[in-house]
Amino acid sequence: MRGTRIGTCASLVAAVAACGLAFAPSAAAVAPGAATVNADCGSWGGGDATLTATQSGTSATITINTSAVTAPLAISKDSLVSQLTLVKAGGGTTVFKGTKNPAMATGDALEVGPLSGTVASGDSLEAFGGTLKVTAFGFITITCTAQGPQSPGPFVFD
């Protein structure tokens, strides 16, 4: 009798787990998860920048890191106003905005994000042709543009 209860209980647990997996929302994915672009930021410098993308449904975020541009002064956490405009395959743009950044000492590599935006399934977004604008202290604006397509390719959202 005891063996039957254990067997029945194990079967019930397995059925509930399978049912839970069947009804669990699917995780959205973006590919590639990270891409590199060579950026020109005018008198602020230029070089390689890494863009890292994540997605949850129609919400997406992008974080940007580059050692090619450094903090001109110490910057406090979440004090930069950033806007990243990416170009959609087939026309148009998608904008990612935010005020998220880590605290940075003078000379630290620039990091902004995650910047938030809205995407649709199948959106293919590319940094080449778009811009990154970062404003510090309300009056210092750094504008960066990609010098060529991002590698390994555009972000494609699920």
Side-chain angles (χ1 to χ4, degrees):
M1 183 72 156
R2 182 179 174 153
T4 303
R5 283 188 196 159
I6 291 172
T8 302
C9 186
S11 296
L12 181 59
V13 168
V16 169
C19 185
L21 288 175
F23 292 109
S26 61
V30 58
T36 302
V37 65
N38 185 284
D40 177 6
C41 301
S43 61
W44 295 100
D48 286 345
T50 301
L51 287 72
T52 305
T54 63
Q55 179 185 8
S56 178
T58 59
S59 297
T61 64
I62 296 184
T63 301
I64 302 141
N65 293 289
T66 182
S67 58
V69 177
T70 58
L73 300 167
I75 297 173
S76 60
K77 181 179 178 185
D78 299 337
S79 64
L80 298 175
V81 177
S82 303
Q83 178 176 307
L84 173 67
T85 303
L86 297 178
V87 177
K88 283 186 183 182
T93 60
T94 298
V95 176
F96 293 81
K97 296 180 181 182
T99 57
K100 298 290 185 187
N101 62 274
M104 292 175 255
T106 302
D108 280 356
L110 179 68
E111 180 178 343
V112 295
L115 307 178
S116 301
T118 302
V119 295
S121 181
D123 275 357
S124 178
L125 304 178
E126 167 69 58
F128 187 48
T131 59
L132 170 65
K133 290 184 181 181
V134 179
T135 302
F137 311 110
F139 65 92
I140 298 173
T141 300
I142 301 168
T143 302
C144 301
T145 57
Q147 298 304 291
Q150 63 193 48
S151 178
F155 295 117
V156 179
F157 294 86
D158 195 15

